[in-house]
Amino acid sequence: MAKHDACKIVFPSLGITCRAEKISGVNEEVFDWFVDCMPIPEVVWSHAMVSGGLTYAMNLRMKYDLPCNLESLEKGWLHEIPDGYFTLFLSNGKAGQFMMKYTDITENMAYPIVGRVIEEDLPKLREAAKALWDADYLTKDPVTIAFEA
């Protein structure tokens, strides 16, 4: 597995790209694995309905098996982690669910932390999330997310 410091989170239908980075000392091997699995093709991006500023994407097609046990990873409580942090949950096989916080939320569940959007790109993340909210709950236009090394 290669070592990586950064990746891109792309919102193709919005024309927005956010840069993301590894968090030193926090599940670094999972960030490296995540970037090794890239490019991850576009999937539908969705907004949480009632918990606040949380977005998610389901059924990410991961190229490789996770190199460690999910239970052994450092987790962050969604309502406590900083804005821009993202988490990953793996269901059956190589299908992943990606969650990303962009502002206050009430959800008090813990998930493995993978990385964070860089500070300078948080305004772009919030712009994308606002457009996603409008699309999900007003216009019903699909918004997609993809990941690039």
Side-chain angles (χ1 to χ4, degrees):
M1 181 168 38
K3 300 287 185 190
H4 304 279
D5 293 323
C7 66
K8 294 177 186 174
I9 302 171
V10 183
F11 310 101
S13 57
L14 302 176
I16 297 173
T17 297
C18 292
R19 296 166 292 163
E21 64 187 357
K22 179 187 293 183
I23 302 168
S24 180
V26 179
N27 300 331
E28 291 184 31
E29 72 280 9
V30 178
F31 185 89
D32 292 335
W33 164 83
F34 187 57
V35 178
D36 276 349
C37 287
M38 295 178 187
I40 299 173
E42 285 181 64
V43 294
V44 173
W45 190 37
S46 299
H47 199 290
M49 183 179 277
V50 296
S51 63
L54 183 68
T55 67
Y56 63 93
M58 299 179 73
N59 300 314
L60 301 180
R61 289 171 275 166
M62 311 312 286
K63 292 179 185 173
Y64 310 107
D65 290 323
L66 186 66
C68 53
N69 184 309
L70 276 176
E71 284 74 37
S72 69
L73 297 174
E74 183 174 338
K75 295 171 182 66
W77 291 93
L78 294 178
H79 68 290
E80 294 176 348
I81 60 176
D83 294 354
Y85 271 48
F86 53 92
T87 68
L88 192 64
F89 177 78
L90 293 175
S91 56
N92 296 329
K94 296 178 186 166
Q97 177 180 341
F98 173 88
M99 291 176 283
M100 184 164 46
K101 179 182 178 183
Y102 71 92
T103 191
D104 295 337
I105 64 169
T106 59
E107 190 77 43
N108 65 346
M109 295 179 68
Y111 290 94
I113 298 165
V114 177
R116 66 178 164 220
V117 171
I118 66 167
E119 187 75 28
E120 296 85 3
D121 283 1
L122 285 175
K124 292 197 298 186
L125 172 60
R126 291 186 181 107
E127 176 188 351
K130 168 68 169 94
L132 174 64
W133 175 269
D134 291 347
D136 275 4
Y137 299 109
L138 300 174
T139 68
K140 309 302 182 197
D141 295 327
V143 176
T144 57
I145 187 172
F147 304 88
E148 300 173 359

